[in-house]
Amino acid sequence: QGQLVESGGGSVQAGDSLTLSCGVRGFTLGGNCLAWFRQAPGKEREGVAAMRDGGGSTIYADSVKGRFTISLNNTDIMLLQMNNLKAEDTGMYYCAVGPGVKCPWALNERQFGAAYWGKGVEVTISS
């Protein structure tokens, strides 16, 4: 069974940076769409960033553009570099892998139809 395992969450101050990692276990990436979602307390889960694993354009939610960067390193670890963090970035962060053809809609959880989800890591930003 394939699975995704996140790490790197924590509690930091506003303005600080964090990098989240997501390891792929039990399956091999190939033509997939990789995405990060988050869920703030009392809110629905929302997509924040996505990319194709073979390269190509990335997409970001307006709320994180210019501050967050999604990438895939050479050992197939998904990364989410988060800079200039704000209190409203607080929440549980999840990585997800889905069909590559769905990447243009990857920030919409229902349209993305991810095949794999991580269990999430908690990120807390204090102002």
Side-chain angles (χ1 to χ4, degrees):
Q1 288 281 351
Q3 58 178 333
L4 304 175
V5 181
E6 302 102 334
S7 61
S11 298
V12 298
Q13 301 264 328
D16 286 350
S17 299
L18 272 178
T19 300
L20 304 183
S21 301
C22 176
V24 175
R25 310 269 175 88
F27 68 100
T28 302
L29 295 175
N32 296 105
C33 187
L34 317 175
W36 286 94
F37 287 74
R38 70 183 180 189
Q39 187 168 22
K43 294 189 176 181
E44 292 188 353
R45 190 158 58 184
E46 63 174 355
V48 295
M51 64 174 288
R52 287 287 295 262
D53 66 15
S57 60
T58 53
I59 56 174
Y60 295 95
D62 288 344
S63 58
V64 306
K65 278 181 185 175
R67 300 188 299 120
F68 288 17
T69 303
I70 185 173
S71 63
L72 181 69
N73 73 9
N74 58 7
T75 58
D76 280 359
I77 303 290
M78 296 168 55
L79 302 171
L80 185 68
Q81 173 69 41
M82 307 185 293
N83 297 326
N84 190 21
L85 285 160
K86 304 177 180 181
E88 51 264 41
D89 294 320
T90 292
M92 287 293 291
Y93 282 71
Y94 303 86
C95 57
V97 174
V101 295
K102 294 289 186 73
C103 232
W105 306 278
L107 298 190
N108 181 302
E109 182 175 343
R110 191 185 312 175
Q111 289 184 297
F112 183 35
Y116 302 98
W117 286 93
K119 293 183 178 180
V121 288
E122 190 165 1
V123 172
T124 304
I125 313 301
S126 56
S127 56

